[in-house]
């Protein structure tokens, strides 16, 4: 009951009401109008009760030195001011602290919807095969070694091994790979990944909590729980602030025999500016970042970003656009026949749903190539396609697929394929009338700012690392283009987490930048998680501390500079507020200030803190 009342009084509406009564009290006092009840009493009750509740709760329940908090010092100062009849001073310090608490709460409130979205990806049922008959059962009922049939378009409900059928599986949710992976008997599949083409039979090996997707969900949940909210700076200092304030106030009373001076010392010692220093600077920095298309969810993220010395990047969708484009067209027929090769391939692939085939047809359309209507189309999932067009019998697919159909692959062709594989590119071999006519290579595209961004980070003394679920050759190729020398490839989500933990054990402060669902645990585990907000998955955005809404990775160096400036601003504000407080203490000891004037003077520090923080908003960091 007390907690509910305290939360209600600490809310924005009641704090506004408290401020209004404080203004009325000041206006009446300046005009010399006396009332039966000072309106400041209502400010004391509204803004003071939550502080008193918090101070008492911490004294009772907090362990050790953390029992002493800024709320305790303010409660003592309020009680002392009330005891000598200076109600305005009591209401004023309570109101300022209430504002600081609201501002800070708004800066550290974190979105926590991502875990629910991640859980929604888990398949709810599977098709079990018993004695040749199919039955739909709930995912929780699937046992290890059960045989499951997964049709095209369905999510695979468990981790398992294919025992029959061929297909291509979109496993971006787990590995982040930009391309579906061809699978056949003996290959491993993961829970939550999508079967794109052929029907497959899978023997369950990882079910329930042992599946890859459930492990990923568990890692996100554990990483979220490990991240404690940023402790308020005033509370960190309260362990020595409260004893010093009480000691000076007691000494003032002993030597001057003036209780007013003692109370004034307690009032001016209240850490109002100290409380405002962090949230005001952070709010200004967050506002500055929003103008640049960067969403910062908490002050903790800014504080930690300033300490980061290592930035780990995902590849697909982060360093690259995550979109396939035709990169190479190599014809083995007469010179100048590249256009004809693409036109034939596009005709054959026109009915294909495979991303490689779609990319080829899109390229042909973009280049306005003459594409004829194909006939007798058929596809072998995970291998290739056959079609007839322009009077030719066309086979498009892998080296193995063409060989199965009696088409010889020369050493020259194999050399070209090896070269393309070493560049991390996917290839489609095109054969016409029994002869290999050429190869069309497709690749993801590196973001144009990636290389300059990595170079600028290096100049700032920040290391860069590539953590990707993609194959080693593709990782090496794109990392070399971006100027990243530390590469860790073929990683599952838990591998990315382990790599980040390893870097932290080496004394590194790590920022992880990613875009996919598979990056969510790593984003949570790293000291700072940055998600690509435009192209990235909702789960990655929710898991991250910061989101780049324009997907502009050139903003990463900007983030570092902004966070550094924010920390410097906070430290400057704290130093200024302490100087003002110490000056006010000296004046209080000499009897120059009363509790009311002391509260007004020392809160001039709060005004300066806000003004200094406001300078962050319009400063140029790019």
């Amino acid at each position: 009951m007390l907690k509910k009342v305290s939360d209600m009084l600490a809310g924005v509406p009641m704090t506004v009401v408290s401020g209004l009564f404080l203004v009325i009290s000041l206006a009446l006092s300046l005009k010399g109008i006396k009332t039966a009840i000072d309106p400041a009493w209502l400010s004391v009750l509204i803004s003071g009760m939550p502080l008193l509740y918090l101070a008492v709760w911490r004294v009772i329940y907090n362990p050790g030195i953390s029992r002493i908090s800024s709320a305790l010092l303010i409660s003592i100062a309020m009680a002392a001011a009330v005891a000598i009849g200076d109600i305005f001073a009591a209401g004023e310090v309570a109101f300022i602290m209430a504002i600081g608490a609201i501002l800070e709460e708004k800066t550290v409130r974190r979105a926590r919807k991502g875990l629910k979205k991640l859980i929604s990806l888990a398949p709810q049922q599977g098709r079990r095969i018993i004695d040749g008959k199919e039955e739909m059962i709930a995912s929780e009922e699937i046992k290890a070694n059960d045989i499951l049939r997964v049709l095209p378009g369905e999510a695979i409900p468990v981790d398992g091994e294919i025992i029959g059928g061929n297909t291509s599986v979109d496993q971006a949710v787990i590995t982040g790979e930009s391309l579906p992976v061809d699978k056949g008997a003996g290959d491993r599949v993961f829970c939550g990944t999508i079967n794109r083409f052929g029907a497959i039979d899978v023997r369950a090996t990882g079910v329930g909590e042992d599946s890859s997707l459930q492990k990923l969900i568990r890692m996100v949940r554990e990483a979220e729980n490990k991240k404690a909210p940023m402790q308020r700076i005033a509370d960190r200092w309260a362990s020595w602030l409260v004893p010093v304030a009480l000691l000076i106030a007691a000494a003032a009373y002993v030597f001057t025999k003036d209780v007013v001076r003692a109370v004034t010392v307690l009032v001016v010692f209240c850490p109002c500016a100290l409380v405002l220093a962090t949230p005001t600077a952070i709010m200004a920095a967050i506002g500055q970042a929003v103008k640049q298309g960067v969403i910062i969810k908490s002050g903790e993220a800014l504080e930690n970003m300033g300490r980061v010395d290592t930035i780990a990047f995902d590849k697909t969708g982060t360093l690259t656009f995550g979109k396939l484009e035709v990169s190479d067209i190599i014809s083995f027929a007469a010179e100048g026949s590249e256009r004809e090769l693409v036109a034939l391939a596009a005709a054959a692939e026109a009915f294909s749903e495979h991303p490689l085939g779609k990319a080829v047809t899109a390229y042909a359309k973009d280049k306005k190539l003459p594409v004829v209507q194909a006939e007798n189309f058929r596809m072998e999932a995970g291998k290739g396609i056959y079609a007839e067009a322009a009077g030719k019998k066309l086979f498009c697919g892998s080296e193995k697929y063409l060989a199965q159909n009696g088409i010889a692959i020369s050493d020259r062709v194999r050399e070209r394929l090896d070269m393309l594989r070493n560049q991390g590119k996917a290839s489609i071999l095109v054969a016409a009338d029994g002869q290999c006519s050429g190869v069309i290579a497709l690749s993801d595209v590196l973001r144009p700012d990636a290389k300059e961004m990595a170079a600028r980070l290096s100049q700032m003394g920040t290391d860069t690392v590539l953590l990707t679920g993609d194959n080693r050759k593709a990782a090496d190729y794109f990392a070399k283009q971006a100027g990243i020398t530390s590469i860790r490839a073929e990683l599952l989500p838990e591998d990315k987490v382990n790599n980040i933990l390893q870097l932290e054990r080496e004394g590194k402060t790590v920022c992880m930048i990613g875009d996919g669902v598979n990056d969510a645990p790593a984003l949570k585990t790293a000291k700072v998680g940055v998600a690509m907000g435009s192209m990235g998955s909702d789960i990655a955005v929710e898991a991250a501390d910061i989101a780049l809404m324009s997907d502009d990775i050139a903003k990463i160096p900007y983030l570092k500079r902004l966070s550094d400036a924010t920390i410097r601003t906070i430290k400057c504000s704290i130093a200024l507020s302490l100087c003002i407080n110490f000056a006010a203490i000296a004046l209080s000891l000499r009897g120059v200030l009363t509790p009311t004037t002391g509260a007004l003077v020392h809160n001039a520090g709060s005004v300066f803190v806000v003004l200094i923080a406001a300078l962050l908003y319009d400063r140029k960091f790019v």
Side-chain angles (χ1 to χ4, degrees), residues 529-575:
V530 179
M532 309 298 280
S534 175
M535 289 180 61
S537 73
D538 289 342
I539 292 167
V541 173
E542 296 291 354
D545 305 296
I546 300 170
L548 305 179
M549 300 315 294
S550 60
D551 286 348
D552 184 1
I553 57 174
K555 298 297 184 187
I556 301 302
Y558 157 80
L559 261 177
K560 280 272 307 158
R561 289 194 296 273
L562 175 64
S563 58
D564 291 343
T566 303
I567 300 305
R568 286 195 299 270
T569 298
I570 291 171
K571 290 179 179 178
C572 177
S573 296
I574 290 171

Side-chain angles (χ1 to χ4, degrees), residues 25 61 109 156 165 204 273 277 304 359 394 424 441 496 507 529 541 577 583:
S25 174
Y61 294 105
R109 188 176 297 157
I156 298 172
N304 289 336
L394 304 172
K496 290 185 179 182
V541 173
S577 65

Side-chain angles (χ1 to χ4, degrees), residues 371-389:
V371 179
V372 299
Q373 181 75 30
E375 299 176 344
N376 299 324
F377 173 86
R378 70 172 182 267
M379 180 182 75
E380 289 191 44
K383 294 182 179 180
I385 62 166
Y386 168 81
E388 296 174 9

Side-chain angles (χ1 to χ4, degrees), residues 334-411:
E335 189 167 337
S337 61
E338 286 85 358
R339 288 172 60 86
E340 181 184 355
L341 179 69
V342 175
L344 287 174
E349 297 280 7
F351 299 105
S352 173
E353 290 298 315
H354 197 285
L356 295 181
K358 287 184 174 182
V360 171
T361 55
Y363 178 84
K365 183 178 180 181
D366 182 60
K367 298 299 181 180
K368 296 182 172 56
L369 300 180
V371 179
V372 299
Q373 181 75 30
E375 299 176 344
N376 299 324
F377 173 86
R378 70 172 182 267
M379 180 182 75
E380 289 191 44
K383 294 182 179 180
I385 62 166
Y386 168 81
E388 296 174 9
K392 298 178 183 292
K393 295 180 179 181
L394 304 172
F395 289 89
C396 300
S398 66
E399 181 181 355
K400 182 179 179 181
Y401 178 63
L402 266 62
Q404 286 177 348
N405 286 278
I407 299 169
I409 306 298
S410 68
D411 291 339

Side-chain angles (χ1 to χ4, degrees), residues 81 477 495 583 587:
Y477 178 72
D495 298 324
L587 293 173

Side-chain angles (χ1 to χ4, degrees), residues 242-391:
V242 172
V244 170
L246 292 175
L247 184 62
I248 294 176
Y253 178 72
V254 168
F255 287 105
T256 65
K257 306 301 183 185
D258 186 351
V259 70
V260 173
R261 295 190 188 191
V263 173
T264 304
V265 168
L266 289 175
V267 170
V268 299
F269 232 117
C270 288
C272 298
L274 201 60
V275 168
L276 289 172
T278 298
T280 51
I282 286 171
M283 288 188 74
I286 288 174
Q288 153 78 236
V290 168
K291 293 192 296 182
Q292 300 293 331
V294 179
I295 305 301
I296 302 173
K297 296 182 183 179
S298 72
E300 185 181 15
L302 266 176
E303 185 179 35
N304 289 336
M305 193 68 192
R307 300 172 184 157
V308 164
D309 54 26
T310 302
I311 297 183
F313 293 90
D314 173 49
K315 182 185 77 69
T316 306
T318 302
L319 283 181
T320 68
F321 285 107
K323 180 181 178 182
L324 288 174
E325 292 184 2
V326 172
S327 59
D328 301 83
I329 304 167
I330 303 171
S331 174
F332 301 128
E335 189 167 337
S337 61
E338 286 85 358
R339 288 172 60 86
E340 181 184 355
L341 179 69
V342 175
L344 287 174
E349 297 280 7
F351 299 105
S352 173
E353 290 298 315
H354 197 285
L356 295 181
K358 287 184 174 182
V360 171
T361 55
Y363 178 84
K365 183 178 180 181
D366 182 60
K367 298 299 181 180
K368 296 182 172 56
L369 300 180
V371 179
V372 299
Q373 181 75 30
E375 299 176 344
N376 299 324
F377 173 86
R378 70 172 182 267
M379 180 182 75
E380 289 191 44
K383 294 182 179 180
I385 62 166
Y386 168 81
E388 296 174 9

Side-chain angles (χ1 to χ4, degrees), residues 10-310:
V12 174
M14 294 306 296
T15 300
V16 171
V17 171
S18 173
L20 290 175
F21 281 116
L22 203 60
V23 170
I24 294 170
S25 174
L26 179 61
L28 292 175
S29 176
L30 292 175
K31 291 186 177 183
I33 300 174
K34 294 194 178 289
T35 57
I37 299 177
D38 190 333
W41 268 112
L42 292 170
S43 296
V44 172
L45 291 173
I46 294 172
S47 296
M49 289 302 294
L51 282 167
L52 182 61
Y53 172 82
L54 181 61
V56 172
W57 192 93
R58 286 177 174 172
V59 167
I60 295 173
Y61 294 105
N62 276 14
I65 198 68
S66 61
R67 297 172 188 270
I68 301 174
S69 65
S70 57
L72 179 60
L73 175 56
I74 297 155
S75 298
I76 293 171
M78 280 195 306
V82 169
I84 66 169
D86 200 332
I87 310 304
F88 178 82
E92 190 263 355
V93 293
F95 175 67
I96 292 294
M97 293 300 292
I99 290 176
I102 289 171
L103 290 175
E104 192 161 16
E105 181 185 356
K106 286 185 179 295
T107 64
V108 299
R109 188 176 297 157
R110 301 277 298 277
R112 295 174 180 264
K113 300 175 184 177
L115 190 58
K116 293 180 181 178
K117 292 182 180 178
L118 187 57
I119 292 171
S120 71
L121 293 177
Q124 300 301 306
Q125 57 185 2
R127 185 178 287 100
R128 184 166 62 186
I129 307 297
I130 297 180
D131 297 329
K133 296 181 180 179
E134 297 181 9
E135 61 172 351
M136 295 299 295
I137 61 172
S139 296
E140 309 87 69
E141 297 177 28
I142 299 174
K143 302 291 190 299
N145 294 316
D146 279 353
I147 306 302
L148 305 169
R149 181 158 295 161
V150 186
L151 301 182
E154 292 183 342
I156 298 172
V158 295
D159 285 6
E161 179 184 335
I162 297 176
I163 60 172
N166 294 283
T167 187
S168 292
V169 178
D170 180 353
Q171 44 190 42
V173 68
I174 297 296
T175 67
E177 291 172 281
S178 55
L179 296 173
V181 179
D182 294 337
K183 302 274 188 177
D187 289 331
R188 183 183 177 193
V189 291
F190 303 107
C191 175
T193 58
I194 308 300
N195 178 24
R196 286 300 184 195
F197 303 110
I200 52 174
D201 290 344
V202 177
R203 177 184 290 109
T205 58
V207 300
E209 292 299 313
D210 293 327
S211 71
S212 298
L213 185 60
Q214 289 299 330
K215 287 178 182 177
L216 189 150
I217 292 169
R218 190 160 60 248
M219 283 188 291
V220 172
R221 183 184 285 118
E222 288 171 356
E224 175 71 23
N225 292 337
K226 286 176 185 175
K227 275 201 166 182
M230 183 175 62
Q231 189 181 22
R232 290 175 59 178
I233 193 165
D235 289 334
R236 293 205 297 264
W237 289 24
S239 58
W240 64 266
L241 204 62
V242 172
V244 170
L246 292 175
L247 184 62
I248 294 176
Y253 178 72
V254 168
F255 287 105
T256 65
K257 306 301 183 185
D258 186 351
V259 70
V260 173
R261 295 190 188 191
V263 173
T264 304
V265 168
L266 289 175
V267 170
V268 299
F269 232 117
C270 288
C272 298
L274 201 60
V275 168
L276 289 172
T278 298
T280 51
I282 286 171
M283 288 188 74
I286 288 174
Q288 153 78 236
V290 168
K291 293 192 296 182
Q292 300 293 331
V294 179
I295 305 301
I296 302 173
K297 296 182 183 179
S298 72
E300 185 181 15
L302 266 176
E303 185 179 35
N304 289 336
M305 193 68 192
R307 300 172 184 157
V308 164
D309 54 26
T310 302

